[in-house]
Amino acid sequence: MESPEWTWAWTWWSTLVLINSISIVLAVLFCRRRNTENDSYLRWMKLMGMIFVSVALYRSVFVSSYMEQLAWFDSLANSSLLIRSLAFFAELSFAGLFMLAMLRTSQDLELYPSGQEHVFDVLVSRAPKFLFLCIFTAQFFATTALITKFEVLFAIEETLWGMAFLSIFPLAIKQLRAVLKSEHSTTELRLLKPFVWLNVIWLVGYCSYSVFYHLPIEYWPHVLEDMRQGNYQFNASLKAVTDALLVVNETKSLSEWGGIGFLIWHSGYFSICVWIVLFLMRGPRLLRSKDVVDTNDQQAGKAVGA
């Protein structure tokens, strides 16, 4: 007879696997659709989106927790180090999608004309690149933390994530205001308008969670207390690497996974974040309306005829 926790776990796991299975089908269908625009930006957005959605499906099947190396299945496929390696590329793709989308939005809206930037404008306009740099750096802290079991490194990783998305907040607000005041047609703003709103809503939610709960309550207090009491590990050896790769601790116990906190985090990561990525794969940008296209074609024809 199945335990109540296993019954709960199976329902939750099946739901997430179904969500991510549908998501990858949608991502594949979108990638197969032809674009009339020969744009490297769109190709990069599709590639990064497919990487994230593919890894999300894998991780929704093989649920894991890095610090204790908990696993949903007693299998090497559920290895924490293997999954952390996949997450390296997925999380860089997630950051890359935001970076390219925001840089393209600034370019399309001409927010920072060349030669007219002040120091603050330079910092704000380059913030998406800083976001990518923070999340790239965070990957090394997370991987090292998994191997060494030194939890301070996980806290630094999470802090870098918070810093990354806080840094783009001013630019996100500026892009939202620019779109709302834009004289471009509704057709031209069809992808940009939902993107700037989505971006601000995501930032308000994630940054509030990070600044007011995740870092000051969930992470740093107990990490610093463990350091003060000398209650920490630092396993730096080849055995630590092999253990991170080979040791899997199968469990379906909600309490071992971390209770409702883990449930909310994992469910949100592999549903809301995946849906955001599916939208970003479309490549938020300023579209040309039919009238603008026709006008440009006519002008090009006149120039050739001349």
Side-chain angles (χ1 to χ4, degrees):
M1 181 177 179
E2 293 180 330
S3 70
E5 285 191 301
W6 168 246
T7 303
W8 162 85
W10 180 256
T11 303
W12 173 75
W13 178 87
S14 300
T15 302
L16 278 188
V17 171
L18 177 62
I19 289 172
N20 284 277
S21 298
I22 294 171
S23 296
I24 199 166
V25 170
L26 293 174
V28 169
L29 290 175
F30 179 72
C31 283
R32 289 171 61 88
R33 190 192 311 169
R34 287 188 178 182
N35 284 313
T36 55
E37 304 166 74
N38 183 22
D39 194 334
S40 62
Y41 164 69
L42 297 179
R43 290 194 293 272
W44 273 108
M45 297 298 274
K46 287 182 178 181
L47 174 61
M48 291 187 294
M50 276 303 305
I51 291 172
F52 185 89
V53 175
S54 300
V55 174
L57 175 59
Y58 188 93
R59 293 185 65 188
S60 67
V61 175
F62 299 102
V63 185
S64 65
S65 179
Y66 296 144
M67 191 66 182
E68 301 83 5
Q69 293 184 218
L70 303 182
W72 209 251
F73 299 105
D74 186 11
S75 165
L76 187 59
N78 220 141
S79 160
S80 293
L81 187 55
L82 170 61
I83 291 170
R84 173 90 283 282
S85 300
L86 296 175
F88 184 99
F89 296 101
E91 292 177 356
L92 285 184
S93 295
F94 190 71
L97 285 163
F98 276 94
M99 177 183 72
L100 292 186
M102 293 189 75
L103 291 176
R104 178 61 177 258
T105 299
S106 291
Q107 175 187 322
D108 286 353
L109 296 175
E110 299 180 342
L111 293 185
Y112 296 98
S114 178
Q116 299 181 26
E117 295 175 309
H118 300 293
V119 174
F120 180 74
D121 290 332
V122 171
L123 294 175
V124 172
S125 65
R126 305 293 190 274
K129 295 180 180 180
F130 178 74
L131 173 140
F132 187 86
L133 177 62
C134 281
I135 294 179
F136 175 75
T137 306
Q139 303 309 306
F140 297 97
F141 281 98
T143 304
T144 306
L146 165 63
I147 294 169
T148 63
K149 299 298 182 290
F150 189 44
E151 198 171 5
V152 171
L153 300 178
F154 277 128
I156 294 173
E157 179 220 1
E158 295 298 323
T159 302
L160 286 168
W161 273 82
M163 288 172 52
F165 283 102
L166 276 171
S167 72
I168 61 173
F169 215 119
L171 181 58
I173 295 297
K174 183 163 186 173
Q175 290 180 346
L176 174 61
R177 293 178 63 186
V179 167
L180 293 179
K181 294 179 179 179
S182 176
E183 296 180 356
H184 290 287
S185 68
T186 302
T187 300
E188 292 173 305
L189 296 172
R190 184 166 57 86
L191 289 178
L192 273 190
K193 194 168 186 178
F195 166 65
V196 294
W197 275 111
L198 172 68
N199 199 17
V200 169
I201 292 169
W202 157 257
L203 289 174
V204 169
Y206 180 80
C207 293
S208 296
Y209 163 75
S210 178
V211 171
F212 298 114
Y213 174 72
H214 189 51
L215 295 176
I217 296 175
E218 245 188 345
Y219 254 100
W220 280 108
H222 86 265
V223 166
L224 294 175
E225 181 62 20
D226 286 346
M227 288 288 291
R228 189 182 69 82
Q229 296 182 0
N231 183 25
Y232 59 88
Q233 303 179 61
F234 191 87
N235 306 321
S237 65
L238 180 59
K239 185 178 186 303
V241 177
T242 57
D243 285 349
L245 177 65
L246 301 176
V247 173
V248 291
N249 300 310
E250 181 186 1
T251 180
K252 304 296 186 300
S253 169
L254 178 58
S255 60
E256 288 188 60
W257 281 104
I260 193 67
F262 174 83
L263 181 65
I264 293 171
W265 173 84
H266 196 85
S267 300
Y269 191 114
F270 297 105
S271 59
I272 295 171
C273 290
V274 172
W275 298 332
I276 291 173
V277 165
L278 288 175
F279 173 77
L280 292 176
M281 285 180 70
R282 301 175 66 191
R285 63 198 183 280
L286 190 66
L287 297 174
R288 294 190 304 168
S289 66
K290 185 176 184 301
D291 291 338
V292 174
V293 173
D294 290 344
T295 300
N296 288 343
D297 288 344
Q298 290 172 7
Q299 291 174 346
K302 290 179 181 178
V304 172

